[in-house]
Amino acid sequence: MQFTAQDIAFVLNGTVEGDPLVTVNRLAKIEEGTPGSLTFLSNPKYEQHLYTTDASIAIVNSNLQLSAPVKATLIRVENAYSAFTILLEKYNTYKLHKEGIEQPSFIHETATLGENVYVGAFAYIGPGVKIGNNSKIYPHTYVGDNVTIGNDCTLFANVKVYFDCVLGNNVIIHSGAVIGSDGFGFAPNPDGTYTKIPQIGNVVLANDVEVGSNTTVDRATMGSTVLHNGVKLDNLVQIAHNVEIGANTVIAAQTGISGSTKLGENVLLGGQVGVVGHISLAKGTQAQAQSGIGKTIKEENTKVAGSPAFAYGSQMRSNIVIQRLPELEKRVNELEKIIAQLKAGE
Amino acid sequence: MQFTAQDIAFVLNGTVEGDPLVTVNRLAKIEEGTPGSLTFLSNPKYEQHLYTTDASIAIVNSNLQLSAPVKATLIRVENAYSAFTILLEKYNTYKLHKEGIEQPSFIHETATLGENVYVGAFAYIGPGVKIGNNSKIYPHTYVGDNVTIGNDCTLFANVKVYFDCVLGNNVIIHSGAVIGSDGFGFAPNPDGTYTKIPQIGNVVLANDVEVGSNTTVDRATMGSTVLHNGVKLDNLVQIAHNVEIGANTVIAAQTGISGSTKLGENVLLGGQVGVVGHISLAKGTQAQAQSGIGKTIKEENTKVAGSPAFAYGSQMRSNIVIQRLPELEKRVNELEKIIAQLKAGE
Amino acid sequence: MQFTAQDIAFVLNGTVEGDPLVTVNRLAKIEEGTPGSLTFLSNPKYEQHLYTTDASIAIVNSNLQLSAPVKATLIRVENAYSAFTILLEKYNTYKLHKEGIEQPSFIHETATLGENVYVGAFAYIGPGVKIGNNSKIYPHTYVGDNVTIGNDCTLFANVKVYFDCVLGNNVIIHSGAVIGSDGFGFAPNPDGTYTKIPQIGNVVLANDVEVGSNTTVDRATMGSTVLHNGVKLDNLVQIAHNVEIGANTVIAAQTGISGSTKLGENVLLGGQVGVVGHISLAKGTQAQAQSGIGKTIKEENTKVAGSPAFAYGSQMRSNIVIQRLPELEKRVNELEKIIAQLKAGE
């Protein structure tokens, strides 16, 4: 894919300064521009990079006044940032374009596929599966019995969705994620062994959910583990059985939510956070990376940190004193000595 | 799958009150019952839900006295909880029923399969593999050279078992788990680079082991990484090379055990726990979530918490004081001032 | 594979003491030797095991003086440790030997493969992919559009490499690892929802990189996420978008590096470490397991521990006092009482 400056100017309704026939095939930050790449300058703070960049084309604001010569061909547009975002989207759509049914793939005779669905080679679409329009099932992805997938979804290579799970529209799942594996439930026996508790529920991912690579979302024991609209999970996150996550909650990598816990809307959890089971976090709760949350948080927009987690500000102040603890202990030792002397001298 | 109340009553040796021909196709908790679902009431605490549930059928104890009208058809049995458990098991067995060899799959000519083995499409059974009776190998699962798998095992979609590993009977492995990848061993060179140490051992999973989704169990450098009978690992757990885990030990999600460490029987580790290498934990050790265990624990049934971990009770007491640390430091400041004044006034 | 003592002695240029026709088919540590296994004795500390081992063959130093009878056939060589290492390498090479193109596999007509490449069944090689000589692509591995893979690489079963990523020579990637999934980038909207930021960069793994099982390395937003020569990642590690990792840096299991952070050369991170985004760690930085690193470290070879992490030695001293905190608080209580009495008595 090669584009000339004049092609791009035409799309963006911009004007070309320099060679209109120079070509590019990729996008780059201005400080990382190399020949063949297209970049942009929006923030005046980075203007000096414009005079040194090796990018072949730079999109700039129409009112930019140059203070030195520029090697790159310029395309002047009203808003360089918006124009670049448009190109970014177009580039991404182009890169992720896939269509048709590759062979060999396995599509059970009882499965139903909407229009314009992509099925990669070695994908497995089980009995009773329903897939909406414009969804993409990449190679090696497994869609178990009776799974429902909405429109405009992307399941990248090697996603695994166990039986009976339900995905809404515009859901994105990255490679290696597992949706609907058994919840971790065992009943102890008197002899020290455990009996597995059947996990017969499912997982429901609502619209606009994104799930990161190698993240795991367990099915409910009964009922559903639910991620509401717009939930975003990073990589290697663990969501246990019967958890419910409110709309637009964002969870960073390697965080784990234990069984039956409920997160409100617009919660923000940093990386490597742990949340115990059977509690709830109010709307807008924020937790710093590596927090360990052991209790229900009722007040909205609470910020916590630490393990065990408590109020963010208090935790920061305690953290500072922790660094001075050996000194603090010495000071107490010293006080005790002085007091003993004072008492002796009374 | 639709069942009538009279079908179910027959199986459970119960008696029907209400419409014997009403049908259900799923199980639900009583507070989440919807039309078409079957539920149960065992604990009198939840009796009020019986009068409001939309479930079509409810299993109840034979001696239950109703205090209000009930919409659902009732099935009276001697023990409602046991009866429901029986249905749960049957439902689960039905849901997980798979048989036959799907195509395309790859079964090496030197592999031997027992009776009634399921092999899903795109499964790979390598040279020299032996699989016992009634085991299920789901789609996309990889069974490397010379692996041995016992009877009644389930390897869900996309499990990966490297060469030479050995699985006992009734082992369950969830999607994305990796058994037998190389231990993390490198010898440093004088120039700062590392030379890989060949990892030529294997992994042995004994009977009744369950491994969660995307969990990793590394092969031994030499010898075996061993999980004894009845060990249960949750999702995203890391077991390093040459680790040995005692029978009926249970490990929650995202916990990691470093190389050559030995865990006794019936150990319980919470989520996100870390255990350093080359130590041992006595039988019955319990560690709270996010603990960091750095030393051998010799006494059985010890409970620890914190990072670094120490006795659970002491850790809880220290955690409380940590929240008051800034105040404690101020009190010491104050004491020093007063003492200075007292000394000055001597 | 069975070898006689005289075969092995020939390869190692050693001399046989005992039955030259005894056969072995595996390697073992001396304390775990069983009939049919070959072991070695190098460290005199373990000499007593030589007289009790059930191994069939033991490699020993040529100058070893026996102090008791030995059951095993001995092979005397100049340096027993080096000789055993040679056998270990040979054994490993034998075990990991794979060649040819298994069927069914998917190799796009525009992909180019070097000489002596192994492609396992169900592997997917996308459009425009280039693979160098002697590389091995195991079953179920997905190589996305336009990926470049160098010579002598091994991608074990079910590795996933997204489009446009670049791998150098001698790269090893273990099962379930995901290279090039989208960075976790979302722009918040006024109504609480998020808009996905296209992630159009790639991942570059330089020569001699090893990536553990189920580890995830996200593609850059623009530009590249880069792992330089000789970087070794353990299992379940998370590397976020636009991270750069210096040569020969080693990262243990379940550690996570947040976006745009830069690690120097020869950094050593323990397991379950977290590093925040947009900081840098100097060459030779070492972090203890479960550290949480929140700030740039400028000084080379700094050692840190704790969450939040600070200097290793100070952290160890603070950790000790943390265990005594309840007692320390009581001592301050006591001092306050005494001071109050003293002041009252003034």
Side-chain angles (χ1 to χ4, degrees):
Chain A
M1 181 179 63
Q2 294 275 350
F3 296 101
T4 64
Q6 67 189 13
D7 289 341
I8 295 163
F10 179 78
V11 167
L12 300 176
N13 198 21
T15 57
V16 177
E17 278 179 36
D19 179 1
L21 296 179
V22 67
T23 58
V24 291
N25 63 3
R26 62 189 180 280
L27 308 177
K29 292 187 208 169
I30 196 160
E31 67 271 30
E32 296 173 354
T34 48
S37 68
L38 176 148
T39 190
F40 78 109
L41 173 67
S42 169
N43 188 335
K45 195 167 77 169
Y46 299 114
E47 188 181 328
Q48 81 279 12
H49 291 303
L50 183 64
Y51 307 112
T52 56
T53 187
D54 289 325
S56 299
I57 301 178
I59 298 171
V60 299
N61 290 328
S62 52
N63 62 359
L64 176 75
Q65 307 269 355
L66 295 180
S67 61
V70 173
K71 272 185 298 180
T73 290
L74 300 185
I75 298 177
R76 289 185 180 269
V77 296
E78 197 168 315
N79 183 324
Y81 181 76
S82 315
F84 189 75
T85 304
I86 289 166
L87 292 183
L88 204 59
E89 294 282 2
K90 281 187 189 292
Y91 182 86
N92 200 43
T93 304
Y94 168 83
K95 276 292 181 181
L96 296 175
H97 177 73
K98 288 284 172 189
E99 61 181 7
I101 311 288
E102 295 177 355
Q103 293 302 339
S105 51
F106 181 101
I107 303 177
H108 194 271
E109 55 183 5
T110 60
T112 59
L113 273 62
E115 293 183 5
N116 196 28
V117 166
Y118 166 62
V119 178
F122 313 123
Y124 184 101
I125 315 289
V129 169
K130 290 188 182 66
I131 301 180
N133 300 326
N134 309 312
S135 285
K136 295 176 201 157
I137 310 297
Y138 273 67
H140 303 121
T141 281
Y142 170 82
V143 184
D145 302 9
N146 303 311
V147 166
T148 301
I149 297 177
N151 301 321
D152 302 302
C153 292
T154 300
L155 277 62
F156 283 101
N158 180 41
V159 168
K160 307 291 147 181
V161 186
Y162 280 54
F163 63 97
D164 287 352
C165 292
V166 176
L167 279 62
N169 299 321
N170 199 30
V171 169
I172 299 173
I173 308 184
H174 281 281
S175 287
V178 178
I179 309 299
S181 45
D182 281 354
F184 196 60
F186 301 92
N189 300 316
D191 66 353
T193 64
Y194 290 86
T195 299
K196 182 174 174 66
I197 298 171
Q199 305 288 313
I200 66 160
N202 73 346
V203 173
V204 175
L205 305 181
N207 300 329
D208 305 311
V209 166
E210 182 158 346
V211 176
S213 50
N214 286 346
T215 279
T216 57
V217 183
D218 278 351
R219 67 193 312 107
T221 309
M222 279 198 281
S224 299
T225 303
V226 183
L227 277 64
H228 287 285
N229 288 345
V231 167
K232 313 295 184 191
L233 304 183
D234 199 352
N235 301 341
L236 294 167
V237 169
Q238 151 72 355
I239 306 295
H241 48 180
N242 293 88
V243 164
E244 184 175 349
I245 303 184
N248 303 315
T249 279
V250 174
I251 299 180
Q254 297 178 318
T255 283
I257 314 292
S258 305
S260 299
T261 279
K262 292 190 192 320
L263 274 60
E265 297 182 11
N266 285 94
V267 168
L268 272 177
L269 303 182
Q272 299 181 337
V273 169
V275 185
V276 299
H278 298 276
I279 67 167
S280 62
L281 304 186
K283 183 178 171 178
T285 298
Q286 296 189 16
Q288 211 195 23
Q290 296 191 330
S291 298
I293 305 179
K295 291 180 191 165
T296 284
I297 294 177
K298 289 189 179 165
E299 198 178 342
E300 295 189 359
N301 304 313
T302 300
K303 291 185 179 153
V304 299
S307 174
F310 53 92
Y312 179 82
S314 302
Q315 182 75 57
M316 293 305 105
R317 287 189 289 278
S318 287
N319 284 341
I320 291 165
V321 184
I322 284 174
Q323 298 203 33
R324 296 196 285 250
L325 268 185
E327 184 202 347
L328 186 67
E329 194 179 46
K330 272 185 209 150
R331 289 164 60 196
V332 172
N333 294 346
E334 193 56 35
L335 282 169
E336 286 176 337
K337 264 191 243 164
I338 296 172
I339 292 284
Q341 289 164 358
L342 284 176
K343 286 186 76 171
E346 268 181 317
Chain B
M1 179 181 61
Q2 294 275 350
F3 296 101
T4 64
Q6 67 189 16
D7 289 342
I8 295 163
F10 180 79
V11 167
L12 299 176
N13 198 22
T15 57
V16 177
E17 278 179 36
D19 179 3
L21 297 179
V22 65
T23 58
V24 293
N25 64 3
R26 61 188 180 281
L27 308 178
K29 293 187 209 170
I30 194 159
E31 66 272 31
E32 296 173 353
T34 49
S37 68
L38 177 148
T39 190
F40 77 110
L41 173 67
S42 169
N43 188 335
K45 194 167 79 172
Y46 299 114
E47 189 181 325
Q48 82 278 14
H49 291 303
L50 184 64
Y51 308 112
T52 57
T53 187
D54 289 324
S56 300
I57 301 178
I59 298 172
V60 299
N61 290 329
S62 53
N63 61 359
L64 176 73
Q65 306 268 356
L66 295 180
S67 61
V70 174
K71 274 183 301 182
T73 292
L74 300 185
I75 299 175
R76 290 185 180 269
V77 296
E78 197 168 316
N79 184 323
Y81 181 77
S82 314
F84 189 75
T85 304
I86 288 166
L87 292 183
L88 205 59
E89 294 281 2
K90 281 187 188 292
Y91 182 87
N92 200 44
T93 304
Y94 168 83
K95 277 290 181 183
L96 297 175
H97 177 73
K98 289 283 173 190
E99 62 182 7
I101 311 290
E102 295 175 355
Q103 292 302 339
S105 53
F106 182 101
I107 303 176
H108 195 272
E109 55 183 5
T110 60
T112 57
L113 274 61
E115 293 182 5
N116 195 27
V117 166
Y118 165 62
V119 178
F122 313 123
Y124 184 101
I125 314 289
V129 169
K130 288 189 183 66
I131 300 180
N133 300 325
N134 309 313
S135 285
K136 294 176 203 157
I137 310 299
Y138 273 68
H140 303 122
T141 280
Y142 171 82
V143 184
D145 303 8
N146 303 311
V147 166
T148 301
I149 297 177
N151 301 322
D152 302 304
C153 291
T154 300
L155 277 61
F156 282 102
N158 179 42
V159 167
K160 307 292 146 180
V161 186
Y162 280 53
F163 63 98
D164 287 353
C165 292
V166 176
L167 279 62
N169 299 320
N170 199 30
V171 169
I172 298 173
I173 308 184
H174 281 281
S175 286
V178 178
I179 309 298
S181 45
D182 282 355
F184 196 61
F186 301 92
N189 299 316
D191 65 354
T193 63
Y194 290 86
T195 299
K196 182 173 174 66
I197 298 169
Q199 305 288 314
I200 65 159
N202 73 347
V203 173
V204 176
L205 306 181
N207 300 329
D208 304 311
V209 166
E210 182 158 345
V211 176
S213 50
N214 286 346
T215 279
T216 57
V217 183
D218 278 350
R219 67 195 308 107
T221 309
M222 279 199 280
S224 300
T225 303
V226 182
L227 277 64
H228 289 284
N229 288 344
V231 167
K232 313 294 184 190
L233 303 183
D234 199 353
N235 301 341
L236 294 166
V237 169
Q238 151 72 358
I239 306 295
H241 48 181
N242 294 88
V243 164
E244 185 176 349
I245 303 184
N248 303 315
T249 279
V250 174
I251 298 180
Q254 297 177 318
T255 283
I257 314 292
S258 305
S260 299
T261 279
K262 291 190 192 320
L263 274 61
E265 297 182 11
N266 285 94
V267 168
L268 272 177
L269 302 182
Q272 299 180 338
V273 168
V275 185
V276 300
H278 298 275
I279 68 168
S280 62
L281 304 187
K283 183 180 172 178
T285 298
Q286 295 189 15
Q288 210 196 22
Q290 296 192 329
S291 298
I293 305 179
K295 291 180 190 163
T296 284
I297 294 176
K298 288 188 178 162
E299 197 179 342
E300 294 188 0
N301 304 313
T302 299
K303 291 184 180 151
V304 299
S307 174
F310 53 92
Y312 178 83
S314 302
Q315 182 74 57
M316 294 304 105
R317 286 189 290 278
S318 288
N319 284 342
I320 290 166
V321 184
I322 283 173
Q323 298 203 31
R324 297 197 284 251
L325 267 185
E327 183 203 347
L328 185 68
E329 194 180 46
K330 272 185 208 147
R331 288 163 61 194
V332 172
N333 294 347
E334 194 55 35
L335 283 170
E336 286 176 338
K337 264 191 241 162
I338 296 171
I339 293 283
Q341 289 165 357
L342 285 176
K343 287 187 75 171
E346 271 182 316
Chain C
M1 179 181 63
Q2 294 274 351
F3 296 101
T4 64
Q6 69 188 12
D7 289 340
I8 294 163
F10 180 79
V11 168
L12 300 176
N13 198 21
T15 56
V16 176
E17 278 179 35
D19 179 2
L21 296 180
V22 66
T23 59
V24 291
N25 64 2
R26 61 189 181 280
L27 308 178
K29 292 187 209 170
I30 196 160
E31 67 271 31
E32 297 173 352
T34 49
S37 69
L38 176 148
T39 189
F40 77 109
L41 172 68
S42 170
N43 187 334
K45 195 167 78 169
Y46 299 113
E47 189 182 326
Q48 82 277 14
H49 291 302
L50 183 64
Y51 307 113
T52 58
T53 187
D54 289 325
S56 300
I57 301 177
I59 298 172
V60 298
N61 290 329
S62 52
N63 61 359
L64 175 75
Q65 306 269 356
L66 295 180
S67 61
V70 173
K71 275 185 297 182
T73 291
L74 300 185
I75 298 177
R76 291 186 178 268
V77 296
E78 196 167 316
N79 183 324
Y81 182 77
S82 314
F84 189 74
T85 303
I86 289 166
L87 291 183
L88 206 58
E89 295 280 2
K90 280 187 188 292
Y91 182 86
N92 201 43
T93 303
Y94 167 83
K95 276 289 180 182
L96 296 175
H97 177 73
K98 289 283 172 190
E99 62 181 7
I101 312 289
E102 296 176 354
Q103 291 305 338
S105 52
F106 181 100
I107 302 177
H108 195 271
E109 55 184 4
T110 60
T112 58
L113 274 62
E115 292 181 6
N116 196 29
V117 166
Y118 165 63
V119 178
F122 313 123
Y124 183 101
I125 314 289
V129 168
K130 289 190 181 67
I131 301 180
N133 300 326
N134 309 313
S135 285
K136 293 176 205 159
I137 310 298
Y138 272 68
H140 303 121
T141 281
Y142 171 82
V143 184
D145 302 10
N146 303 311
V147 166
T148 301
I149 297 177
N151 301 322
D152 303 303
C153 292
T154 301
L155 277 62
F156 283 102
N158 179 40
V159 167
K160 307 291 146 180
V161 186
Y162 279 55
F163 63 97
D164 288 352
C165 292
V166 176
L167 279 63
N169 299 321
N170 200 31
V171 170
I172 298 173
I173 308 184
H174 282 281
S175 286
V178 178
I179 309 297
S181 45
D182 283 353
F184 196 60
F186 301 92
N189 300 316
D191 65 353
T193 64
Y194 289 86
T195 299
K196 182 173 174 68
I197 299 170
Q199 305 287 316
I200 65 159
N202 72 347
V203 173
V204 176
L205 306 181
N207 300 329
D208 305 311
V209 166
E210 182 159 345
V211 176
S213 50
N214 286 346
T215 279
T216 58
V217 184
D218 278 351
R219 66 195 310 108
T221 309
M222 279 199 280
S224 299
T225 304
V226 183
L227 276 64
H228 288 284
N229 289 345
V231 167
K232 312 295 184 190
L233 303 183
D234 200 351
N235 301 341
L236 294 167
V237 169
Q238 151 72 356
I239 306 296
H241 48 180
N242 293 89
V243 164
E244 184 174 350
I245 303 184
N248 303 316
T249 279
V250 174
I251 298 180
Q254 298 178 317
T255 283
I257 314 293
S258 306
S260 299
T261 279
K262 291 192 191 319
L263 274 60
E265 297 181 10
N266 286 93
V267 169
L268 272 177
L269 302 182
Q272 300 182 336
V273 169
V275 185
V276 300
H278 298 275
I279 67 168
S280 62
L281 304 187
K283 182 178 173 177
T285 298
Q286 296 188 14
Q288 210 197 21
Q290 297 192 328
S291 297
I293 305 179
K295 291 180 190 164
T296 285
I297 294 176
K298 290 189 177 162
E299 197 178 343
E300 295 188 0
N301 304 314
T302 300
K303 290 184 181 154
V304 299
S307 174
F310 53 91
Y312 179 83
S314 302
Q315 182 74 58
M316 294 303 107
R317 287 189 289 277
S318 288
N319 283 343
I320 291 165
V321 184
I322 283 174
Q323 298 203 32
R324 297 196 284 250
L325 268 185
E327 182 202 348
L328 186 67
E329 194 180 45
K330 272 185 209 148
R331 288 164 61 195
V332 172
N333 294 347
E334 193 57 34
L335 282 169
E336 286 176 337
K337 263 191 244 163
I338 297 171
I339 292 283
Q341 290 164 357
L342 285 176
K343 286 187 76 172
E346 269 182 316

